[in-house]
Amino acid sequence: MSGHDVAGNGAGLPEPAVRVPTRVVAYREAEPRADSRALAVETPVNLVYGSVPYAVMMTTPADLEDFAYGFSLTEGIVESADEIRGVALESGREGEQGGVRLLVDLAPGRLREHLARRRALSGRTGCGVCGVEDLASLPVADMRAAPAIRVTVAAIERALSALSEAQVLNHETRAVHAAAWADLDGALVAVREDVGRHNALDKLIGALMRSGRDPATGFAVITSRCSFEMVEKAARLGAAVIVAISAPTSLALARARGHDMTLCAIARSDTLTVFCGGERLVMPG
């Protein structure tokens, strides 16, 4: 269900979390208490296509092959998983601050198209539009027909209930976002975590691409706020329903309506707020 299948083991790649010594200060005690704390690792990841660097994103170094696939799709570099022939990982060279390179091997025709439209992108943690030079360049996913699925409220409740326990890295660090895919019964199929909310969703999308899962077989759940970039990424996958723990932005709602998606947010243990696409939800009883 959760990954960590390529990073943090071998090839000199960093672990997704590191434990550091700390001191806990109580306001009414004279001496601090020695302790330790796990921190989420944040490392620069350079995505390289055809030996040409494309982007540096600040990510948690886990599930990086999934990240390469999902990022490539949501950036519009590929249209499907079979346009990626392979992904190789390299640890950064001396003087590169412990970074990682993701060498993405594109099919020849796709590589030519990519190099013709390449743009520079200097990434930040969870940044969705760094490098975009004008308003007309804001990403808009292809208008795909949203799957005609129906999701029960009980399935959403089941997925939300299971998500907390499935966030392994967040339990350790309390510092990362998660993106999950649930089937129509609410069972979690895949969970990916990252310091950046966009990265977590890209990792999840990559995992679904690699497994060949049909977007009509479930829905996405994210632990962060739902910005327009998150909606665009989900739409690029072909997801019809997205459930967010926090609130959406106005542009996220507009984009969800434009893509005929169901957007639920402010998801709690007892309530769910439906912002659009409520006709896909099946109420209890």
Side-chain angles (χ1 to χ4, degrees), residues 103-217:
L103 309 178
V104 185
D105 183 14
L106 297 178
R110 179 54 67 182
L111 177 60
R112 286 193 295 271
E113 291 182 21
H114 164 65
L115 294 178
R117 62 176 287 273
R118 183 175 68 92
R119 67 176 172 83
L121 175 66
S122 179
R124 304 172 186 169
T125 299
C127 180
V129 293
C130 299
V132 170
E133 296 179 349
D134 56 57
L135 294 177
S137 299
L138 286 176
V140 179
D142 295 338
M143 294 297 290
R144 301 183 180 184
I149 65 172
R150 299 272 283 170
V151 178
T152 67
V153 172
I156 294 176
E157 181 184 17
R158 195 171 300 121
L160 290 168
S161 178
L163 183 55
S164 177
E165 185 177 348
Q167 293 174 246
V168 177
L169 186 57
N170 194 55
H171 279 300
E172 190 176 2
T173 65
R174 300 297 178 186
V176 296
H177 295 290
W181 186 260
D183 65 21
L184 295 179
D185 292 324
L188 298 184
V189 173
V191 179
R192 294 295 184 266
E193 300 181 86
D194 198 277
V195 290
R197 56 196 170 91
H198 302 95
N199 300 337
L201 184 53
D202 276 339
K203 287 179 178 181
L204 176 69
I205 290 171
L208 299 175
M209 289 173 65
R210 294 173 65 199
S211 68
R213 183 165 290 273
D214 184 349
T217 63

Side-chain angles (χ1 to χ4, degrees), residues 33-100:
R33 171 172 55 86
D35 200 357
S36 65
R37 186 81 182 184
L39 299 183
V41 170
E42 182 180 27
T43 194
V45 172
N46 187 192
L47 291 108
V48 180
Y49 299 89
S51 77
V52 179
Y54 176 77
V56 176
M57 304 299 292
M58 301 304 297
T59 72
T60 300
D63 305 306
L64 291 181
E65 193 167 356
D66 289 338
F67 178 60
Y69 274 76
F71 181 89
S72 299
L73 179 75
T74 61
E75 279 286 300
I77 295 170
V78 301
E79 296 291 333
S80 61
D82 58 12
E83 292 178 334
I84 297 177
R85 300 195 298 186
V87 177
L89 283 76
E90 287 184 353
S91 56
R93 301 189 182 99
E94 185 176 353
E96 292 185 339
Q97 304 179 41
V100 176

